[in-house]
């Protein structure tokens, strides 16, 4: 190889290797955050929502924002699935309204009638053609489009996974927009109205065994 070709090769290495190294480092960081989210998700299931032990690693705000920066990632990790649900169900609302959606997802996560992963909770019912969360099967793109709202959704999802988010819904497992009156509303107990949505939880099952 002549001197000219060697010089070109060196220049190309100097130009491209740093970018590749940065990309690889970023990918490793994202994978680490996704593993944290999965561990926190399973901790929530096993502890039934109790406060996490001090030794448990939490997701930091900067870490959460590294996940799915363009809002186009496949829905295959806990933080993305939760953030996308918060975004699509309440992206036009104040923070409290978005937090309430996160509360419902986390309440379902720890309830025996629902799946034990967040992604399964938010996509539950698709095989029957009746989704639990309408954004998931409305036939439209699930990509997050508003950067500011999606960043807030990821921050709320982070706090929910860290168990740093107070349940504003009083244990709600269901909700609907205030402008509609679903048939199932009378089957449950209304707990509260937050933002654009009304929240419900199941009626207590009586332990009375009288005939």
């Amino acid at each position: 190889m002549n001197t000219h070709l060697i010089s070109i090769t060196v220049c190309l290495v100097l130009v491209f290797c740093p970018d590749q190294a940065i990309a690889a480092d970023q990918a490793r960081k994202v994978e680490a955050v996704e593993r944290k989210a999965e561990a926190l998700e399973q901790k929530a299931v096993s502890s039934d929502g109790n406060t996490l032990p001090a030794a448990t690693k939490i997701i930091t705000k900067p870490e959460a924002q590294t996940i799915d920066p363009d809002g186009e990632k496949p829905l295959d990790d806990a933080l993305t699935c939760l953030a996308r649900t918060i975004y699509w169900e309440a992206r036009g609302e104040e923070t409290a309204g978005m937090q309430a959606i996160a509360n419902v997802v986390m309440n379902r996560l720890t309830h025996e009638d629902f799946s034990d992963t967040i992604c399964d909770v938010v996509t539950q019912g698709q095989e029957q053609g009746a989704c639990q969360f309408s954004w998931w099967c409305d036939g439209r793109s699930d990509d997050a489009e508003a950067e500011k709202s999606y960043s807030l959704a990821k921050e709320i999802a982070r706090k929910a996974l860290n168990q740093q988010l107070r349940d504003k819904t009083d244990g709600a497992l269901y909700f609907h927009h205030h402008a509609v009156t679903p048939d199932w509303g009378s089957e449950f107990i209304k707990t509260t109205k937050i933002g654009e949505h009304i929240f419900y939880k199941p009626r207590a099952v009586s332990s009375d065994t009288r005939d």
Side-chain angles (χ1 to χ4, degrees), residues 174 176 181-190 200-201 203:
Y174 309 96
H176 65 78
T181 306
D183 294 338
W184 54 260
S186 60
E187 300 176 16
F188 303 102
I189 298 172
K190 177 182 174 181
Y200 300 81
K201 64 182 178 182
R203 296 183 184 280

Side-chain angles (χ1 to χ4, degrees), residues 32-50:
V33 178
E34 290 178 352
R35 288 195 297 271
K36 269 190 188 182
E38 182 179 359
L40 289 164
E41 172 186 63
Q42 291 309 303
K43 177 66 72 173
V45 172
S46 62
S47 66
D48 196 25
N50 292 327

Side-chain angles (χ1 to χ4, degrees), residues 102-115:
N103 291 153
V104 169
V105 176
M106 297 303 292
N107 289 342
R108 289 188 175 195
L109 181 66
T110 58
H111 194 278
E112 61 183 5
D113 288 345
F114 296 91
S115 300

Side-chain angles (χ1 to χ4, degrees), residues 82-165:
L82 181 53
R84 208 73 70 83
T85 302
I86 296 166
Y87 173 86
W88 281 114
E89 294 291 346
R91 66 191 182 280
E93 297 189 37
E94 299 293 332
T95 300
M98 298 176 77
Q99 289 176 338
I101 301 301
N103 291 153
V104 169
V105 176
M106 297 303 292
N107 289 342
R108 289 188 175 195
L109 181 66
T110 58
H111 194 278
E112 61 183 5
D113 288 345
F114 296 91
S115 300
D116 60 0
T117 72
I118 289 172
C119 288
D120 284 345
V121 165
V122 301
T123 61
Q124 186 174 352
Q126 60 176 323
E127 63 275 8
Q128 286 86 27
C131 294
Q132 295 289 314
F133 295 90
S134 59
W135 69 271
W136 172 245
C137 61
D138 60 6
R140 302 175 184 176
S141 171
D142 297 326
D143 295 348
E145 301 164 346
E147 182 179 352
K148 185 176 180 180
S149 292
Y150 192 45
S151 292
L152 177 56
K154 285 191 285 186
E155 171 61 7
I156 292 170
R158 175 188 79 87
K159 289 182 177 180
L161 282 165
N162 289 343
Q163 295 183 21
Q164 298 169 329
L165 195 65

